[in-house]
Amino acid sequence: MNETREERVAAAKARMAELAEKFLVRTAGEIETMRTRLAQANDDSAALAEIRNLAHRACGTGATLGFESLSEFAHRVESLAASQPPGSQAEIARAIDELARELARQPRAGP
Amino acid sequence: MVTEPNRTARSEESAITQIRPALLSITPRVLLVDDDEIAVERMRLLVEAEGYEVATAASAEGALAELQREFAPIVILDRNMPGMDGIELCRAIRDGAHYPGYVYLILCTAHDAEEEILSGLNAGADDYVSKRASGTQLIARLATARRILALEQSLKQVIEERRRMAMTDALTGVHNRRYFMSHLRRELKRIKRYGSQVSLLVLDIDHFKKINDRYGHAAGDSVLMEFAKRLHGSLPRESDWVARLGGEEFAVVLPQTDLAGARVVAEKLRVAVHGVSMRTASGNIQVTVSIGVSGSAVFTTADEVTVEQLLRRADDCLYDSKRQGRDRVTVDGDKPVNQKTLKKLLYVDDDADIREIVQISLSLDGTLEVITSDGGERALLKMQMEKPDLVVLDVMMPGMDGPTLLRRMRQDPVLDQIPVIFMTAKASAEETAKFRELSAIGVIAKPFDPMTLGGQVKALWEAR
């Protein structure tokens, strides 16, 4: 590699900011998916598992990108969907709403 | 191939677990495994910024395939993945295929929960890192991985060096006898499979004991080192190799070489030794070498060729070279050039009756002059006066026995070249081998048949 370490770090930081933005956009879409699937959760056992997986991913990736509180709200959704027996639909819906509110609070590097 | 003898100093016990600094500067390939492309991308940025080469996989199955395609000694893997998860991937890597080296596994967990960490470590992970951890922490954990892998590489190098040392002659740096036996055996397997040829040279420095006696063992060692160096330096091809069989005896193995080619090489080696005297602390020493050459070509089928057979035949040729005056090459299968006909024979035995029977038996066809002696110094004196073409010695004699007489002959410049046959009542295979080693051209068993004794002696004379 010809570039210096400083140049590489600077490039990495810029790319990291893009990734954070991409994550926020994706998570917004996934919150909508969670809401849709929650409505089907009574007839479809796979629906709850999907919510759990989406929440888990938002929790883990959110944490790596520095969205700590967002990660915790996602963890709350994950825990409710994963616990035996699972939390009530109302409880899970409330947790998803809180996650959505937290997402809206994130500063966006908008155009 | 010729390594410095002082390499052995490396084998200090303390050096074994010391990481060699050069290995620490290597940045290994890192495989990142996560089903979330954003998480993978973030790690790639961090890890690549540190100068590591990065590969990625979106699933555990993909990771296993990638490791097969191109090995990566460090794998950072997500715990939760659809399909096979991170825990199962740890197990699969630990139990599964044979990788070229150790795989250092760092498990990524989202929640830092005790049971997640424990299950990961129990499944074979070496370390874990929280998804919440800073990039700096991840890089620090990678440095740990690098240290462990550098230790692994250091140990591998030590093992490789030890293996090489166990196969190397400490004084001369050429291969030792153990290497010779195992690698010539391997070479013979190869010729069986591919139908090629191999030739073997056995070389013995002439009068080496005299060099040791006259100039001291340090000078003898210098001669051995210089000798090995000249052999190694005079071999035409990379695939040819030298081994020290013991003492002043060396072997040269020439793969894919027939006897004619081997003769050329042997002659070249002989001249390389003879041509320039060897410089030692005790002055320059003129050295010559006797060489015996054999090869797979003298056997009718490749299946018959064994290391022992090949060595024995080359050894026989070497003794022929010694007997014919040293500083020469004898190639297996050569017709012995015996222009000299057998005219005068001396028979030495303390028993007068047997002397008479032998004299009568050998004089039957009228072409041979047979003289006799009852042994001891008188026999040596008679040899010096009569200069017989051949001496036949009884083994068991009072005073000086047959082998002692032969040794005395070999120390005498006039009698040194006279061929000798032993007569013995105990002609076992070991005895025969021992006598051949003393340079006897043959052994005749007692009691003998007087009518055929002449034929036996003639046959041994022709075949000498």
Side-chain angles (χ1 to χ4, degrees):
Chain A
M1 266 184 258
N2 293 326
E3 52 201 332
T4 65
R5 192 185 140 76
E6 286 70 30
E7 284 168 340
R8 287 204 306 272
V9 170
K13 275 187 178 155
R15 181 79 184 101
M16 205 74 90
E18 285 172 35
L19 282 180
E21 182 64 24
K22 191 174 166 189
F23 169 75
L24 294 176
V25 171
R26 186 181 76 183
T27 306
E30 283 170 359
I31 286 171
E32 288 318 308
T33 308
M34 287 184 217
R35 284 177 170 144
T36 314
R37 297 298 273 155
L38 186 62
Q40 305 159 345
N42 277 337
D43 324 305
D44 184 356
S45 59
L48 213 54
E50 191 179 342
I51 292 166
R52 188 191 64 217
N53 287 340
L54 289 172
H56 177 84
R57 203 164 78 151
C59 170
T61 305
T64 71
L65 291 170
F67 300 110
E68 277 174 39
S69 56
L70 186 88
S71 170
E72 272 159 37
F73 281 104
H75 189 199
R76 169 90 181 134
V77 176
E78 183 193 351
S79 304
L80 286 170
S83 65
Q84 287 302 331
S88 72
Q89 259 188 13
E91 264 182 307
I92 298 173
R94 203 157 47 239
I96 294 174
D97 288 345
E98 281 163 5
L99 175 61
R101 263 200 300 283
E102 181 60 28
L103 180 67
R105 272 199 288 272
Q106 300 303 320
R108 307 286 280 267
Chain B
M1 220 183 319
V2 177
T3 51
E4 298 302 314
N6 63 14
R7 268 189 104 87
T8 49
R10 274 258 185 95
S11 70
E12 301 293 331
E13 289 302 317
S14 64
I16 293 179
T17 49
Q18 229 163 54
I19 299 173
R20 296 182 173 179
L23 295 171
L24 275 175
S25 59
I26 297 169
T27 46
R29 188 166 186 258
V30 180
L31 174 61
L32 307 172
V33 191
D34 198 314
D35 59 307
D36 182 346
E37 79 276 12
I38 291 178
V40 165
E41 196 52 29
R42 178 236 174 202
M43 273 198 287
R44 177 207 281 282
L45 289 168
L46 286 169
V47 174
E48 270 183 353
E50 290 301 311
Y52 290 89
E53 183 196 339
V54 171
T56 62
S59 68
E61 292 84 352
L64 289 172
E66 177 60 22
L67 278 181
Q68 288 296 333
R69 198 186 64 78
E70 189 182 346
F71 182 64
I74 301 178
V75 177
I76 304 178
L77 61 160
D78 189 19
R79 188 183 186 283
N80 285 71
M81 288 183 286
M84 195 180 194
D85 68 13
I87 303 292
E88 290 169 300
L89 179 56
C90 284
R91 278 199 203 98
I93 287 173
R94 287 288 173 253
D95 309 338
H98 294 286
Y99 296 113
Y102 187 69
V103 187
Y104 192 93
L105 297 172
I106 303 176
L107 189 73
C108 269
T109 57
H111 306 315
D112 304 336
E114 175 99 343
E115 81 272 9
E116 285 192 359
I117 296 164
L118 287 179
S119 63
L121 295 176
N122 287 335
D126 295 288
D127 196 4
Y128 89 98
V129 62
S130 165
K131 288 219 163 180
R132 277 155 231 283
S134 64
T136 317
Q137 191 188 121
L138 180 71
I139 296 311
R141 290 187 189 277
L142 272 179
T144 302
R146 238 160 83 175
R147 195 166 63 238
I148 299 299
L149 294 169
L151 176 61
E152 180 206 13
Q153 292 306 317
S154 298
L155 290 171
K156 278 186 175 167
Q157 284 186 2
V158 168
I159 291 169
E160 175 53 31
E161 277 160 19
R162 296 238 164 148
R163 200 189 58 79
R164 207 171 47 228
M165 272 192 286
M167 294 285 193
T168 302
D169 177 58
L171 177 68
T172 62
V174 298
H175 298 303
N176 62 15
R177 192 183 184 94
R178 194 196 312 186
Y179 180 97
F180 171 80
M181 296 305 281
S182 70
H183 282 249
L184 184 53
R185 201 158 282 139
R186 197 179 295 176
E187 195 62 52
L188 293 182
K189 271 192 195 139
R190 218 183 339 250
I191 69 164
K192 267 170 219 168
R193 202 173 315 138
Y194 303 113
S196 62
Q197 294 194 23
V198 63
S199 286
L200 168 68
L201 276 50
V202 176
L203 310 93
D204 193 275
I205 302 175
D206 295 326
H207 298 301
F208 184 73
K209 276 166 193 71
K210 284 185 193 158
I211 295 171
N212 266 338
D213 292 346
R214 189 165 154 204
Y215 300 94
H217 286 273
D221 285 355
S222 300
V223 167
L224 289 171
M225 286 192 268
E226 174 62 21
F227 181 78
K229 208 166 127 191
R230 284 195 197 172
L231 293 190
H232 190 254
S234 308
L235 289 178
R237 296 172 313 175
E238 194 77 14
S239 54
D240 305 333
W241 51 273
V242 182
R244 183 180 174 200
L245 298 181
E248 67 272 24
E249 198 177 34
F250 290 75
V252 168
V253 175
L254 305 168
Q256 287 165 42
T257 306
D258 60 11
L259 287 174
R263 182 200 300 276
V264 173
V265 175
E267 225 8 87
K268 193 177 158 201
L269 297 180
R270 187 188 68 77
V271 171
V273 173
H274 178 116
V276 184
S277 62
M278 295 189 179
R279 200 188 288 269
T280 75
S282 314
N284 287 0
I285 303 176
Q286 174 69 51
V287 174
T288 60
V289 60
S290 297
I291 305 178
V293 180
S294 190
S296 56
V298 303
F299 298 86
T300 27
T301 67
D303 288 332
E304 293 171 37
V305 196
T306 64
V307 172
E308 291 73 16
Q309 282 280 332
L310 212 50
L311 196 53
R312 195 187 59 73
R313 296 191 69 122
D315 253 337
D316 282 351
C317 293
L318 169 63
Y319 283 118
D320 282 348
S321 291
K322 291 276 183 194
R323 242 191 331 264
Q324 284 159 27
R326 301 185 168 86
D327 189 20
R328 66 191 62 209
V329 173
T330 304
V331 179
D332 199 356
D334 279 1
K335 278 270 162 282
V337 263
N338 294 331
Q339 299 100 335
K340 205 173 169 185
T341 50
L342 177 59
K343 282 184 244 153
K344 192 193 269 188
L345 181 149
L346 172 69
Y347 180 64
V348 184
D349 198 322
D350 59 308
D351 186 332
D353 292 337
I354 301 183
R355 283 205 300 274
E356 202 180 335
I357 298 169
V358 167
Q359 194 157 30
I360 294 166
S361 313
L362 292 179
S363 306
L364 282 175
D365 71 356
T367 61
L368 190 63
E369 181 193 354
V370 181
I371 52 177
T372 63
S373 165
D374 63 351
E377 295 289 344
R378 282 179 304 284
L380 290 166
L381 207 63
K382 195 148 197 171
M383 288 177 211
Q384 269 152 1
M385 280 166 21
E386 298 281 352
K387 296 190 178 52
D389 302 314
L390 175 67
V391 171
V392 180
L393 296 172
D394 185 31
V395 171
M396 296 277 281
M397 286 186 288
M400 214 187 283
D401 65 9
T404 310
L405 254 176
L406 173 54
R407 276 188 211 102
R408 288 285 299 275
M409 285 172 69
R410 294 302 175 240
Q411 283 159 16
D412 184 317
V414 181
L415 309 179
D416 188 20
Q417 302 303 320
I418 303 178
V420 167
I421 293 172
F422 279 116
M423 296 260 281
T424 176
K426 299 186 290 182
S428 68
E430 295 113 80
E431 286 281 283
T432 305
K434 208 172 80 196
F435 294 149
R436 284 193 76 89
E437 225 170 284
L438 289 171
S439 83
I441 61 165
V443 177
I444 293 173
K446 275 177 159 183
F448 56 84
D449 175 5
M451 301 311 289
T452 61
L453 182 63
Q456 270 180 281
V457 168
K458 282 237 172 63
L460 288 172
W461 169 262
E462 301 288 346
R464 76 189 185 275

